[in-house]
Amino acid sequence: MGQPLPGNVRLPSAPPGRKRSDSVGFAIVGLGGYALNQMMPRFEQAERAHIAAIVSGNPEKLRRVGDAYGVAEDARYSYEAFEKIASDDRIDAVYIVLPTGLHAEWAIRAFAAGKHVLCEKPMALSSADCERMIAASRRADRKLMIAYRSHFEPYNLEAMKLMQQKAAGEIRLVRTEQSYRMGPTSPSENWRTSRALAGGGPLEDFGIYGLQSALYLTGEMPESISATTFRPAGDARFAEIFAHVSSQWRFPSGAVAQLVTSYDSAGTNFAHVRGTLGALIMDPATSYSGQKMRLEGQNTRDLSPGDPAVQFAGQLNNFTDAVRDGATIRTPGEMGLRDLRLIEAIYASAEAGRTVRLAPDGRRRS
Ligand code: NDP
């Protein structure tokens, strides 16, 4: 379904220059806020990625965005014509930036067309869909990467390293929160409030950053999760999704994590790790820019390991290195699947009102 051009989009004043001959040509599927405001402008900074095609349900947007990015007229596809990309050799890969409930279907179609897939987070709305996507990638012998940009962002990379080096000692407590207050809306106006397109809501969309942080900062998988959800009555925003999701995890080391996410409280995005010798405070933790990080303890200091803006191109570079040179993908489909298993465990625990025990791969034991 075509959507209008978001109001705040700044299209390039001149089409991007040509890239080297081994540059990977992408078809961007879904010309929404994230594609137009964040990722498409960042292709310029990637070493060997370029926008070869666009796919949209809005013909006017196809024209304006296509002209601005110098996309050939015959490489501007409607969703109905998507299958034709199979014979378009300008396209090596498909970047899926659609509402989450559509990721699985379009990734599988892209693999059927013989293309590699970079898929926005979260990978899909169920572990079963993630498994279907991984199977389709293997069948087609094409790469699958989930766009978890924090794995390419200097603050989060430094935080992973510090926690591996036990800079705060043995990790005991992790707390994460990702929240913002959504304005008045309803499922018919905004896909983020539709269960079919957004699952339970804030956890899949924003809280997944806290879920990811808890995993890569501890380097562990939880062995049990207990959770609770809340959905206020009579609020159109939460007719189909949750307003808040809160979960408590226990790791095999004995560390515990508390993860909170909300679409109905004032904005924040932090990750705190407290260990036996100190603490790591990331606030904001996983934004597009403006990260702040402080290591507290014997040698308390603020850390500024680099510019967060490199995360977007870094992600594209990892993907194109995988496509062209067989490099290892840091955020593969298996990681997206693992995370959906944890999301399912959180909802299962909240639904049952009891603790859920997990196997090391995130599958529920009970
Ligand atoms: P938008 O609503 O801004 O854009 C989604 C686009 O998908 C629309 O513009 C439309 O494109 C297309 N679309 C196709 N079918 C539908 C439908 N039924 N309802 C609405 N849109 C539809 O969403 P975002 O760009 O914010 O999010 C897209 C994806 O990117 C999501 O998976 C989200 O989780 C992810 N994301 C990732 C971020 C990150 O930091 N990594 C940040 C923000 C989002 P068209 O009109 O061209 O057909």
Side-chain angles (χ1 to χ4, degrees), residues 130 142 351:
C130 295
R142 292 291 179 269
E351 173 98 20

Side-chain angles (χ1 to χ4, degrees), residues 3 31 33-34 56-57 61 79 103 121 149 191-192 209:
Q3 304 292 315
L31 303 178
Y34 189 64
S56 170
K61 224 162 44 171
Y79 295 113
H103 290 180
K121 47 55 59 181
R149 56 182 169 71
W191 70 264
R192 282 187 160 80
Y209 288 97

